[in-house]
Amino acid sequence: MTQLHPPQGEDARGTADSGGGAAPVVPVRDIPQATVTRLATYLRVLGALVEAGTLIVSSEELASAAGVGSAKLRKDLSFLGPNGVRGVGYDVLRLQSRIENALGLDRGHRVVLVGVGNLGRALARYPGFDRRGFTMAGLFDADPAVVGTRVGDLIVRHVDALEEDARELGATIAVVATPEDVAQHVCDLLVRSGVRSVLSFAPIELDVPDHVEVRRVDLAVEMQVLSFNSTRHDELVRTADGARASGLARVSTQSSARRTQTGKAGPLGPAVTRNGSVIAP
């Protein structure tokens, strides 16, 4: 990635206005869901750039690292208001702050996780949550063998106390990693506690009020999508290979036809006349 000194003088306008001060205010605009997803990807890339000490990044470099086209990236970032300086690029820290503000990460989130099985333990131990503004505040389970055990810095609580404890912990996001037969009951408790955002790994649709946002992660569906993409890729490769083979065969046939008409031997051996006899070279 390009590492440059911040622009100076007149060129610094648009990049220096947020340096060291409060987070810039992002205009309240309707942002498409697909753009929101890509903003999260841009934020991950920007975080890596900050760790590497990069000050300025061009749209082409940022787009390439995020796996999108530069035109799409510029359109996505346009939802945040004016960004970057033409011919210079984006101030990495400033853009990171603006995206965090747009995604609501500047407020921070306290997360509770219900279902401390193998998946739940892996999620609870994931260090990336805290770095990205999500604090794991509470873990809950119904298994007596699990309740009271320690996972990281937290003690697993009994799910019977979920509604009250989630409210006391100030939870804003909940992760449901329970079996499907209890997922709806757990979700109801979370809604009553005031949680308005739920990330569910349960393989069922959860019934929630309109003011509650649910994102369902179905690992089987994700693998099915991967299977489809892999199959499509293989078919495209076979089609391309077939087209190339067909082109070579066509060229070979045309060459043979020319040799037949002239009666002259080609590089592959003697030519064949129209009556089938071989004319020796």
Side-chain angles (χ1 to χ4, degrees), residues 50 85 100 110 147 161 170 184 186 208 225 230 254 263:
V50 170
V85 177
E100 288 176 345
R110 294 180 64 78
V147 174
Q184 184 61 59
V186 165
V208 297
V225 172
S230 175
Q254 291 169 353

Side-chain angles (χ1 to χ4, degrees), residues 164-195:
E164 180 180 353
D165 287 1
R167 185 181 298 110
E168 291 180 355
L169 290 170
T172 56
I173 294 178
V175 178
V176 176
T178 66
E180 60 181 292
D181 57 334
V182 298
Q184 184 61 59
H185 173 64
V186 165
C187 185
D188 293 341
L189 293 176
L190 291 167
V191 171
R192 289 203 294 269
S193 76
V195 170

Side-chain angles (χ1 to χ4, degrees), residues 25-32 35-36 38-39 42 59 62 69-84 86 90 94-95 98-99 102:
V25 178
V26 176
V28 179
R29 301 175 62 181
D30 290 332
I31 302 179
T35 295
V36 172
R38 289 192 293 270
L39 287 176
Y42 304 151
S59 59
L62 181 54
S70 57
K72 179 173 290 185
L73 176 135
R74 287 191 290 269
K75 182 177 180 180
D76 289 340
L77 297 184
S78 70
F79 286 97
L80 310 182
N83 288 288
R86 184 178 296 277
Y90 298 103
R94 180 173 185 265
L95 184 56
R98 294 189 73 119
I99 295 178

Side-chain angles (χ1 to χ4, degrees), residues 3-83:
Q3 297 192 33
L4 303 173
H5 295 291
Q8 304 294 324
E10 293 294 321
D11 290 337
R13 292 180 180 178
T15 60
D17 56 352
S18 62
V25 178
V26 176
V28 179
R29 301 175 62 181
D30 290 332
I31 302 179
Q33 190 64 50
T35 295
V36 172
T37 301
R38 289 192 293 270
L39 287 176
T41 300
Y42 304 151
L43 187 60
R44 173 180 55 79
V45 174
L46 290 167
L49 293 177
V50 170
E51 292 180 0
T54 302
L55 300 176
I56 302 294
V57 62
S58 71
S59 59
E60 289 76 14
E61 290 169 331
L62 181 54
S64 176
V68 303
S70 57
K72 179 173 290 185
L73 176 135
R74 287 191 290 269
K75 182 177 180 180
D76 289 340
L77 297 184
S78 70
F79 286 97
L80 310 182
N83 288 288

Side-chain angles (χ1 to χ4, degrees), residues 29-252:
R29 301 175 62 181
D30 290 332
I31 302 179
Q33 190 64 50
T35 295
V36 172
T37 301
R38 289 192 293 270
L39 287 176
T41 300
Y42 304 151
L43 187 60
R44 173 180 55 79
V45 174
L46 290 167
L49 293 177
V50 170
E51 292 180 0
T54 302
L55 300 176
I56 302 294
V57 62
S58 71
S59 59
E60 289 76 14
E61 290 169 331
L62 181 54
S64 176
V68 303
S70 57
K72 179 173 290 185
L73 176 135
R74 287 191 290 269
K75 182 177 180 180
D76 289 340
L77 297 184
S78 70
F79 286 97
L80 310 182
N83 288 288
V85 177
R86 184 178 296 277
V88 177
Y90 298 103
D91 181 298
V92 172
L93 286 173
R94 180 173 185 265
L95 184 56
Q96 181 187 48
S97 179
R98 294 189 73 119
I99 295 178
E100 288 176 345
N101 183 270
L103 297 180
L105 302 181
D106 55 318
R107 297 173 297 167
H109 289 281
R110 294 180 64 78
V111 181
V112 293
L113 183 148
V114 188
V116 192
N118 291 333
L119 175 61
R121 287 178 181 274
L123 293 171
R125 291 192 175 106
Y126 177 56
F129 288 140
D130 192 57
R131 292 200 302 266
R132 299 179 186 179
F134 303 94
T135 300
M136 191 63 69
L139 306 176
F140 297 84
D141 203 284
D143 186 349
V146 175
V147 174
T149 61
R150 179 180 293 274
V151 179
D153 297 328
L154 298 174
I155 301 296
V156 180
R157 310 181 187 210
H158 199 284
V159 74
D160 287 347
L162 176 59
E163 181 177 348
E164 180 180 353
D165 287 1
R167 185 181 298 110
E168 291 180 355
L169 290 170
T172 56
I173 294 178
V175 178
V176 176
T178 66
E180 60 181 292
D181 57 334
V182 298
Q184 184 61 59
H185 173 64
V186 165
C187 185
D188 293 341
L189 293 176
L190 291 167
V191 171
R192 289 203 294 269
S193 76
V195 170
R196 299 179 61 179
S197 301
V198 177
L199 178 65
S200 174
F201 287 86
I204 61 169
E205 294 287 345
L206 297 176
D207 183 19
V208 297
D210 291 340
H211 70 277
V212 176
E213 176 77 12
V214 175
R215 296 276 295 181
R216 187 161 69 94
V217 180
D218 190 324
L219 299 180
V221 169
E222 297 302 322
M223 286 190 285
Q224 288 165 357
V225 172
L226 286 174
S227 173
F228 168 79
N229 290 339
S230 175
T231 301
R232 182 177 62 178
H233 175 268
D234 291 343
E235 290 176 349
L236 290 173
V237 169
R238 283 196 297 270
T239 300
D241 289 344
R244 283 194 294 269
S246 176
L248 290 174
R250 206 161 39 243
V251 170
S252 176

